[in-house]
Coordinates of all heavy atoms in Angstrom, one line a residue:
L1 N 0.9 -1.2 0.0 CA 0.0 0.0 0.0 C 0.9 1.2 0.0 O 1.8 1.3 0.8 CB -0.9 0.0 1.2 CG -1.9 -1.1 1.4 CD1 -2.7 -0.9 2.7 CD2 -2.9 -1.1 0.2
L2 N 0.6 2.1 -0.9 CA 1.3 3.4 -1.0 C 0.4 4.5 -0.4 O -0.8 4.5 -0.6 CB 1.7 3.8 -2.4 CG 2.4 2.7 -3.3 CD1 2.7 3.3 -4.7 CD2 3.6 2.2 -2.7
F3 N 1.0 5.4 0.4 CA 0.2 6.5 0.9 C 1.1 7.7 1.3 O 2.3 7.5 1.4 CB -0.7 6.0 2.0 CG 0.0 5.5 3.2 CD1 0.3 6.3 4.3 CD2 0.5 4.2 3.3 CE1 1.0 5.8 5.4 CE2 1.1 3.7 4.4 CZ 1.4 4.5 5.5
E4 N 0.4 8.8 1.5 CA 1.1 10.0 2.0 C 0.6 10.3 3.4 O -0.6 10.1 3.8 CB 0.7 11.2 1.1 CG 1.0 11.1 -0.4 CD 2.5 11.1 -0.6 OE1 3.3 11.8 0.2 OE2 2.9 10.5 -1.6
A5 N 1.5 10.7 4.3 CA 1.2 11.1 5.6 C 1.6 12.5 5.8 O 2.8 12.9 5.6 CB 1.9 10.2 6.7
T6 N 0.7 13.4 6.2 CA 1.0 14.8 6.4 C 0.5 15.2 7.8 O -0.6 14.7 8.3 CB 0.4 15.7 5.3 OG1 -1.1 15.4 5.3 CG2 1.0 15.4 4.0
W7 N 1.2 16.1 8.4 CA 0.8 16.7 9.7 C 0.5 18.2 9.5 O 1.4 19.0 9.5 CB 1.9 16.5 10.7 CG 2.1 15.1 11.2 CD1 1.6 14.6 12.4 CD2 2.8 14.0 10.6 NE1 1.9 13.2 12.5 CE2 2.6 12.9 11.4 CE3 3.5 13.9 9.4 CZ2 3.2 11.6 11.1 CZ3 4.0 12.7 9.1 CH2 3.9 11.5 9.9
P8 N -0.8 18.5 9.5 CA -1.2 19.9 9.2 C -0.6 20.9 10.3 O -0.4 22.1 10.1 CB -2.7 19.9 9.3 CG -3.1 18.5 8.9 CD -2.0 17.7 9.4
D9 N -0.4 20.4 11.6 CA 0.1 21.2 12.6 C 1.6 21.3 12.6 O 2.2 21.9 13.5 CB -0.4 20.7 14.0 CG 0.1 19.3 14.3 OD1 0.9 18.7 13.5 OD2 -0.2 18.8 15.4
G10 N 2.3 20.7 11.7 CA 3.7 20.7 11.6 C 4.5 19.8 12.5 O 5.7 20.0 12.7
S11 N 3.8 18.8 13.1 CA 4.4 17.9 14.1 C 5.6 17.2 13.4 O 6.5 16.8 14.1 CB 3.4 16.9 14.6 OG 2.4 17.6 15.3
A12 N 5.5 16.9 12.1 CA 6.5 16.2 11.4 C 6.4 16.6 9.9 O 5.4 17.0 9.4 CB 6.4 14.7 11.6
P13 N 7.5 16.4 9.2 CA 7.5 16.7 7.7 C 6.6 15.6 7.0 O 6.5 14.5 7.5 CB 8.9 16.6 7.3 CG 9.6 15.8 8.3 CD 8.9 16.0 9.6
A14 N 6.1 16.0 5.9 CA 5.3 15.0 5.1 C 6.1 13.9 4.6 O 7.3 14.0 4.4 CB 4.7 15.7 3.9
L15 N 5.5 12.7 4.6 CA 6.2 11.5 4.2 C 5.5 10.7 3.2 O 4.2 10.6 3.3 CB 6.4 10.6 5.4 CG 7.3 11.0 6.6 CD1 7.3 10.0 7.7 CD2 8.8 11.2 6.1
G16 N 6.2 10.2 2.2 CA 5.6 9.2 1.3 C 6.0 7.8 1.9 O 7.2 7.6 2.1
L17 N 5.1 6.9 2.1 CA 5.3 5.7 2.8 C 4.8 4.5 2.0 O 3.9 4.6 1.1 CB 4.7 5.7 4.2 CG 5.2 6.7 5.1 CD1 4.4 6.9 6.4 CD2 6.7 6.4 5.5
V18 N 5.3 3.3 2.3 CA 4.9 2.1 1.7 C 4.7 1.1 2.8 O 5.6 0.9 3.7 CB 5.9 1.5 0.7 CG1 5.4 0.1 0.1 CG2 6.2 2.4 -0.4
A19 N 3.5 0.5 2.9 CA 3.3 -0.6 3.9 C 3.2 -1.9 3.1 O 2.5 -2.0 2.1 CB 1.9 -0.4 4.6
R20 N 4.0 -2.9 3.5 CA 4.1 -4.2 2.8 C 3.6 -5.2 3.8 O 4.0 -5.4 4.9 CB 5.5 -4.4 2.4 CG 5.7 -5.6 1.5 CD 7.0 -5.6 0.8 NE 7.3 -6.8 0.0 CZ 6.9 -6.9 -1.3 NH1 6.2 -5.9 -1.8 NH2 7.1 -8.0 -1.9
M21 N 2.6 -6.0 3.3 CA 1.9 -7.0 4.1 C 1.8 -8.3 3.3 O 1.8 -8.3 2.0 CB 0.5 -6.5 4.4 CG 0.4 -5.2 5.2 SD -1.2 -4.6 5.3 CE -1.4 -3.9 3.7
P22 N 1.5 -9.4 4.0 CA 1.2 -10.7 3.3 C -0.2 -10.6 2.7 O -1.0 -9.9 3.3 CB 1.4 -11.7 4.4 CG 1.1 -11.0 5.6 CD 1.6 -9.6 5.5
P23 N -0.5 -11.4 1.7 CA -1.8 -11.5 1.3 C -2.7 -12.3 2.3 O -2.1 -13.1 3.0 CB -1.7 -12.3 -0.1 CG -0.5 -13.1 0.1 CD 0.5 -12.3 0.9
E24 N -4.0 -12.1 2.3 CA -4.8 -12.9 3.1 C -4.9 -14.3 2.6 O -4.6 -14.6 1.5 CB -6.3 -12.4 3.1 CG -6.4 -10.9 3.4 CD -6.5 -10.1 2.1 OE1 -5.7 -10.4 1.2 OE2 -7.2 -9.1 2.1
Q25 N -5.2 -15.2 3.5 CA -5.3 -16.6 3.1 C -6.4 -16.9 2.1 O -6.3 -17.7 1.3 CB -5.5 -17.5 4.4 CG -4.3 -17.6 5.3 CD -3.1 -18.2 4.6 OE1 -3.2 -19.3 3.9 NE2 -1.9 -17.6 4.7
T26 N -7.4 -16.0 2.1 CA -8.5 -16.2 1.2 C -8.1 -15.7 -0.2 O -8.9 -16.0 -1.2 CB -9.7 -15.3 1.6 OG1 -9.3 -14.0 1.8 CG2 -10.3 -15.9 2.9
S27 N -7.0 -15.1 -0.4 CA -6.5 -14.7 -1.7 C -5.6 -15.7 -2.4 O -4.9 -15.3 -3.3 CB -5.8 -13.3 -1.6 OG -4.6 -13.4 -0.9
F28 N -5.6 -16.9 -1.8 CA -4.8 -18.0 -2.4 C -3.3 -17.6 -2.6 O -2.8 -17.4 -3.7 CB -5.4 -18.3 -3.8 CG -5.2 -19.8 -4.2 CD1 -6.1 -20.7 -4.0 CD2 -4.0 -20.2 -4.9 CE1 -6.0 -22.0 -4.4 CE2 -3.8 -21.5 -5.3 CZ -4.8 -22.4 -5.0
P29 N -2.6 -17.4 -1.5 CA -1.3 -16.8 -1.5 C -0.3 -17.7 -2.3 O -0.4 -18.9 -2.4 CB -0.9 -16.8 0.0 CG -1.8 -17.7 0.7 CD -3.0 -17.7 -0.1
V30 N 0.7 -17.0 -2.8 CA 1.7 -17.7 -3.6 C 2.7 -18.5 -2.8 O 3.1 -19.6 -3.2 CB 2.5 -16.7 -4.5 CG1 3.7 -17.3 -5.2 CG2 1.6 -16.0 -5.5
F31 N 3.0 -18.1 -1.6 CA 3.9 -18.8 -0.7 C 3.2 -19.2 0.6 O 2.2 -18.6 1.0 CB 5.1 -17.9 -0.3 CG 5.9 -17.5 -1.5 CD1 6.0 -16.1 -1.9 CD2 6.6 -18.4 -2.3 CE1 6.8 -15.7 -3.0 CE2 7.4 -18.0 -3.4 CZ 7.4 -16.7 -3.7
P32 N 3.7 -20.3 1.2 CA 3.0 -20.8 2.4 C 3.1 -20.0 3.6 O 2.2 -20.1 4.5 CB 3.6 -22.2 2.6 CG 4.9 -22.1 1.9 CD 4.8 -21.2 0.8
S33 N 4.2 -19.2 3.7 CA 4.3 -18.4 4.9 C 5.2 -17.1 4.6 O 5.9 -17.1 3.6 CB 5.1 -19.2 6.0 OG 6.3 -19.6 5.6
Y34 N 5.0 -16.1 5.5 CA 5.7 -14.9 5.2 C 6.3 -14.4 6.6 O 5.6 -14.0 7.5 CB 4.7 -13.8 4.7 CG 4.1 -14.1 3.4 CD1 3.1 -15.1 3.2 CD2 4.6 -13.5 2.2 CE1 2.6 -15.4 1.9 CE2 4.1 -13.8 1.0 CZ 3.1 -14.7 0.8 OH 2.7 -15.0 -0.4
D35 N 7.6 -14.5 6.7 CA 8.3 -14.1 7.9 C 8.8 -12.7 7.8 O 9.9 -12.3 7.3 CB 9.5 -15.0 8.1 CG 10.2 -14.9 9.5 OD1 10.0 -13.8 10.1 OD2 10.8 -15.8 10.0
F36 N 7.9 -11.7 8.3 CA 8.2 -10.3 8.1 C 9.3 -9.9 9.1 O 10.0 -8.9 8.8 CB 6.9 -9.5 8.3 CG 6.2 -9.3 7.0 CD1 5.8 -10.5 6.2 CD2 5.8 -8.1 6.5 CE1 5.2 -10.3 5.0 CE2 5.2 -8.0 5.3 CZ 4.8 -9.1 4.5
R37 N 9.4 -10.5 10.2 CA 10.5 -10.2 11.1 C 11.9 -10.5 10.4 O 12.8 -9.6 10.4 CB 10.4 -10.9 12.4 CG 11.7 -11.0 13.2 CD 12.3 -9.7 13.6 NE 11.5 -8.9 14.4 CZ 11.8 -7.7 14.8 NH1 12.9 -7.1 14.4 NH2 11.0 -7.0 15.6
L38 N 11.9 -11.6 9.8 CA 13.2 -12.0 9.1 C 13.5 -11.0 7.9 O 14.6 -10.6 7.7 CB 13.1 -13.4 8.6 CG 14.3 -14.0 7.9 CD1 15.5 -13.9 8.8 CD2 14.1 -15.4 7.4
Q39 N 12.4 -10.7 7.1 CA 12.6 -9.7 6.0 C 13.1 -8.4 6.6 O 14.1 -7.8 6.0 CB 11.3 -9.5 5.3 CG 10.9 -10.7 4.5 CD 9.6 -10.4 3.7 OE1 9.5 -9.3 3.0 NE2 8.6 -11.3 3.7
Y40 N 12.5 -7.9 7.6 CA 12.9 -6.6 8.2 C 14.4 -6.7 8.7 O 15.1 -5.8 8.4 CB 12.0 -6.3 9.4 CG 12.2 -5.0 10.0 CD1 11.5 -3.9 9.6 CD2 13.0 -4.8 11.1 CE1 11.7 -2.6 10.2 CE2 13.2 -3.6 11.7 CZ 12.5 -2.5 11.3 OH 12.7 -1.3 11.9
D41 N 14.7 -7.7 9.4 CA 16.1 -7.8 9.9 C 17.1 -7.9 8.7 O 18.2 -7.3 8.8 CB 16.2 -9.1 10.8 CG 15.5 -8.9 12.1 OD1 15.1 -7.8 12.4 OD2 15.3 -10.0 12.8
V42 N 16.8 -8.6 7.7 CA 17.7 -8.7 6.5 C 17.9 -7.3 5.9 O 19.0 -6.9 5.6 CB 17.1 -9.7 5.5 CG1 17.9 -9.5 4.1 CG2 17.3 -11.1 6.0
M43 N 16.8 -6.6 5.7 CA 16.9 -5.2 5.1 C 17.7 -4.3 6.0 O 18.5 -3.5 5.5 CB 15.5 -4.7 4.9 CG 14.7 -5.4 3.8 SD 12.9 -4.9 3.7 CE 13.1 -3.3 3.0
V44 N 17.5 -4.4 7.3 CA 18.3 -3.5 8.2 C 19.8 -3.8 8.1 O 20.6 -2.9 8.0 CB 17.8 -3.8 9.7 CG1 18.8 -3.1 10.7 CG2 16.4 -3.1 9.9
A45 N 20.1 -5.1 8.0 CA 21.5 -5.5 7.9 C 22.1 -5.1 6.6 O 23.3 -4.7 6.5 CB 21.6 -7.0 8.2

């Protein structure tokens, strides 16, 4: 999901963000499991 986050009161600068999630089980996923902690840790490293 792509979206913009803005703070009209100036609490933070505007950000363009991406949220990445696994598909629901009802959507017949391509892979049997999605380890988002592992993905996150790999990207950090």
Side-chain angles (χ1 to χ4, degrees):
L1 296 178
L2 311 182
F3 61 96
E4 303 289 333
T6 56
W7 285 262
D9 64 359
S11 299
L15 294 175
L17 297 168
V18 180
R20 191 163 175 84
M21 299 170 284
E24 309 94 320
Q25 289 301 310
T26 55
S27 69
F28 210 93
V30 174
F31 298 117
S33 62
Y34 295 77
D35 189 337
F36 272 52
R37 162 55 66 183
L38 183 57
Q39 290 182 47
Y40 184 88
D41 290 346
V42 168
M43 293 171 72
V44 168

